[in-house]
């Protein structure tokens, strides 16, 4: 799966055409927020004639599952946007360790032999947070080498500069200049005591090797970026351009969560409810981004042409679903033990979700996109839904029915109620009196 062919890292700033990546962790279904991140990366790459990469950040072996991988690919396949290169982080361990060793050789990292050190037991920062263990940070090279040679386990930590008044800064394309005092950054781990890379190291090492020029990701990663800037500089490259996206939040203002909000935050829920992928993409784009000209219904090509990082808002975007109608996601323990079929179909039976469950704008956009489809295209999309409901209907018959209902449906599944009488040979019994209009009777004066 790993298609990298670079022998030496080049500065991302030197890349003429943008190289962007979507890097999901396979720990559950494809979240709508993750889907928006993928879409924004894809739009930026296509708008600027760049390269779009999919990289599974699957080094968290305790939480990753094959079922989650399948679920992510299922959601991305439905979006039908595609990507240019594909990688699995778990296949790149040698590269991660090589860059960690290079940083260590420069004296920018040190071995921490503290048993089971979590960074939570010692409190030394201004706010009572753990920053570093002086006994390990100041350990002599000779003593460090002796203990390592004796087989004593250790974590490899980045030596955050603490001499003088040092700051770490970067310019974010959305949130502007970001600055943090180095003295407030802990000596974070690069390698765990078992030799496995941490998220910080693996992500940055891959970004360096794959020559990523722009990192477009959620705002919840913004605080991590100060550590990542240090790693990029230690690796001898100019950091990529960062653009952090505003969060998607529920009507009550809480961050959209698989655990809290359940399957309504899953991409496949919208697929199974009868949304068109192009309408769903359109909807997600308008959550935190604007074309600046009041347009709402936009085709894929119109989105590509209009998209820019400058159009991304700083304020969090609200997804106005009805929480009372939302199903709950299974617990992490259940997800990790579920079969691929179970996880991939966490939101499978969404026909039970009433339309009002979903954001009204999402429904409106979907109806608009449905009406804009050529009859032949819409008919082809309705046919498998009707057949899956048990009706033996021909493509020719659906093609005849489609123009009659196109203006009446908001979701593809609505075909089952808007045109059900077309699919049966005989209507169920009914009282003919119900067909006679009932006049209001008034008493005689």
């Amino acid at each position: 799966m790993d298609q990298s062919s670079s022998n030496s890292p080049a500065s991302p700033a030197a890349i003429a055409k943008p190289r962007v990546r979507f890097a999901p962790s396979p720990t559950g279904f494809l979240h709508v927020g993750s889907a928006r991140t993928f879409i924004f990366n894809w739009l930026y790459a296509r708008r600027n004639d760049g390269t779009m990469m999919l990289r599974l950040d699957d080094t968290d072996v305790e939480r990753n599952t094959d079922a989650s991988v399948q679920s992510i690919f299922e959601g991305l396949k439905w979006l039908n946007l595609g990507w240019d290169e594909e990688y699995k982080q778990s296949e790149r361990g040698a590269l991660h360790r090589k860059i960690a060793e290079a940083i260590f050789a420069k004296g920018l990292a040190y071995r921490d032999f503290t048993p089971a050190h979590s960074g939570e037991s010692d409190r030394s920062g201004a706010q009572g947070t753990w920053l570093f263990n002086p006994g390990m940070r100041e350990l002599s090279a000779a003593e460090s080498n002796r203990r390592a040679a004796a087989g004593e386990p250790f974590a490899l930590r980045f030596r955050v500069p603490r001499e003088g008044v040092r700051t770490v800064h970067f310019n974010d394309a959305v949130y502007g200049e970001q600055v943090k005092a180095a003295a407030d950054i802990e000596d974070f781990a690069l390698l765990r005591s078992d030799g496995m890379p941490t998220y910080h190291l693996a992500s940055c090492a891959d970004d360096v090797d794959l020559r990523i020029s722009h990192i477009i990701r959620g705002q919840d990663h913004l605080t991590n970026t100060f550590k990542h800037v240090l790693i990029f500089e230690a690796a001898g490259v100019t950091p990529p351009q960062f653009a952090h996206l505003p969060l998607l939040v529920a009507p009550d203002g809480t961050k959209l969560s698989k655990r809290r909000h359940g399957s309504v935050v899953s991409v496949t829920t919208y697929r199974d409810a009868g949304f068109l992928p192009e309408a769903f993409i359109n909807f997600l784009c308008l959550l935190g981004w604007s074309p600046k000209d009041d347009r709402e219904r936009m085709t894929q090509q119109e989105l590509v042409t209009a998209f820019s990082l400058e159009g991304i808002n700083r304020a969090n975007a609200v997804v106005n679903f009805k929480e009372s109608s939302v199903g709950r996601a299974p617990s992490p323990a259940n997800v990790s033990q579920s079969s691929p079929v179970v996880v991939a179909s966490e939101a499978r039976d969404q026909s039970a979700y009433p339309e009002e469950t979903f954001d009204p704008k999402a429904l409106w956009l979907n109806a608009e996109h449905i009406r804009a489809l050529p009859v032949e295209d819409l008919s082809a999309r309705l046919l498998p839904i009707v057949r899956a409901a048990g009706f033996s209907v021909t493509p020719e018959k659906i093609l005849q029915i489609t123009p009659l209902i196109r203006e009446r449906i908001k979701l593809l599944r609505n075909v089952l109620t808007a045109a059900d009488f077309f699919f049966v040979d005989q209507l169920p019994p009914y009282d003919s009196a119900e067909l006679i209009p009932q006049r209001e009777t008034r008493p005689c004066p």
Side-chain angles (χ1 to χ4, degrees):
M1 181 176 289
D2 192 333
Q3 301 174 7
S4 175
S5 59
S6 59
N7 296 318
S8 59
S11 171
I15 306 301
K17 296 181 179 180
R19 293 174 60 82
V20 300
R21 49 58 163 193
F22 173 58
S25 297
T27 57
F29 51 67
L30 182 63
H31 188 287
V32 293
S34 298
R36 187 191 61 169
T37 298
F38 172 83
I39 292 165
F40 281 9
N41 274 278
W42 186 91
L43 289 173
Y44 189 79
R46 295 297 175 260
R47 174 71 177 83
N48 296 283
D49 194 24
T51 301
M52 173 71 199
M53 279 167 261
L54 172 64
R55 187 184 76 211
L56 286 178
D57 283 4
D58 58 346
T59 55
D60 188 347
V61 294
E62 294 183 358
R63 299 179 61 210
N64 296 338
T65 66
D66 290 338
S68 295
V69 173
Q70 292 185 35
S71 182
I72 288 172
F73 275 97
E74 186 178 355
L76 293 177
K77 181 180 179 181
W78 178 64
L79 294 178
N80 196 33
L81 296 179
W83 48 89
D84 304 308
E85 300 176 13
E86 184 179 320
Y87 304 90
K88 284 185 67 175
Q89 199 171 67
S90 59
E91 298 175 351
R92 302 168 60 80
L95 166 73
H96 305 153
R97 286 185 285 274
K98 179 180 178 181
I99 290 185
E101 291 165 1
I103 293 174
F104 176 72
K106 295 178 182 179
L108 301 177
Y110 62 92
R111 301 185 183 104
D112 183 351
F113 296 93
T114 308
H117 181 57
S118 65
E120 295 297 330
S121 57
D122 299 306
R123 302 284 174 176
S124 56
Q127 304 299 322
T129 57
W130 184 92
L131 292 176
F132 63 95
N133 184 337
M136 293 293 101
R137 182 180 169 105
E138 298 163 8
L139 196 67
S140 69
E143 179 65 8
S144 177
N145 291 338
R146 182 192 68 77
R147 294 175 68 170
E152 189 173 343
F154 62 87
L156 190 67
R157 292 191 175 277
F158 193 92
R159 190 185 299 273
V160 176
R162 305 190 183 281
E163 301 75 22
V165 183
R166 170 73 188 272
T167 60
V168 180
H169 62 90
F170 63 93
N171 185 64
D172 190 84
V174 177
Y175 291 92
E177 188 71 12
Q178 303 293 311
V179 181
K180 187 172 186 176
D184 292 332
I185 303 175
E186 75 273 12
D187 286 359
F188 53 92
L190 299 175
L191 296 175
R192 301 185 180 90
S193 58
D194 60 2
M196 290 295 294
T198 62
Y199 159 74
H200 301 298
L201 173 68
S203 179
C204 292
D206 285 334
D207 288 338
V208 168
D209 183 66
L210 300 177
R211 297 171 292 124
I212 300 300
S213 64
H214 295 71
I215 295 178
I216 305 170
R217 59 187 177 189
Q219 187 267 348
D220 50 341
H221 282 287
L222 195 146
T223 55
N224 290 331
T225 304
F226 296 103
K227 298 175 183 178
H228 297 179
V229 167
L230 291 172
I231 296 176
F232 284 122
E233 292 176 346
V237 301
T238 303
Q241 169 68 61
F242 295 97
H244 288 88
L245 310 176
L247 300 180
L248 298 185
V249 297
D252 63 359
T254 58
K255 179 184 174 183
L256 287 190
S257 162
K258 299 174 184 177
R259 179 186 294 273
R260 175 180 172 84
H261 300 111
S263 53
V264 78
V265 306
S266 170
V267 169
T268 49
T269 294
Y270 291 81
R271 177 201 64 186
D272 298 336
F275 282 85
L276 298 172
E278 54 266 48
F280 182 68
I281 291 169
N282 189 171
F283 170 65
L284 287 185
C285 285
L286 298 179
L287 295 174
W289 171 83
S290 169
K292 305 300 184 184
D293 56 9
D294 297 326
R295 278 184 294 173
E296 292 191 304
R297 186 182 73 81
M298 301 177 69
T299 65
Q300 180 175 301
Q301 186 54 52
E302 287 172 337
L303 289 169
V304 169
T305 302
F307 186 79
S308 70
L309 299 179
E310 291 74 21
I312 298 174
N313 305 319
R314 294 187 179 186
N316 291 338
V318 179
V319 183
N320 286 305
F321 58 84
K322 284 194 175 181
E323 291 199 59
S324 60
S325 303
V326 174
R328 299 303 178 195
S331 67
N334 291 337
V335 169
S336 63
Q337 296 171 10
S338 296
S339 69
V341 173
V342 170
V343 173
S345 62
E346 286 169 351
R348 179 72 66 194
D349 187 16
Q350 299 311 324
S351 59
Y353 271 172
E355 289 183 8
E356 58 267 24
T357 296
F358 302 103
D359 191 305
K361 178 171 279 190
L363 289 168
W364 174 80
L365 279 170
N366 201 62
E368 289 290 302
H369 278 271
I370 284 175
R371 285 193 285 270
L373 283 178
V375 171
E376 295 77 11
D377 188 351
L378 178 57
S379 175
R381 303 194 197 203
L382 296 176
L383 180 61
I385 296 174
V386 175
R387 285 182 170 174
F391 298 108
S392 299
V393 61
T394 65
E396 292 76 17
K397 186 170 184 178
I398 285 292
L399 187 59
Q400 291 177 323
I401 295 170
T402 299
L404 306 177
I405 65 170
R406 183 168 55 172
E407 301 293 324
R408 300 169 53 199
I409 61 176
K410 295 180 182 179
L411 299 169
L412 294 179
R413 74 181 188 200
N414 292 157
V415 64
L416 298 177
T417 52
D420 56 344
F421 52 88
F422 286 113
F423 308 137
V424 294
D425 296 327
Q426 183 176 353
L427 292 175
Y430 61 90
D431 184 355
S432 59
E434 295 178 359
L435 301 180
I436 302 174
Q438 300 296 312
R439 288 189 176 186
E440 181 180 357
T441 58
R442 297 185 180 184
C444 296

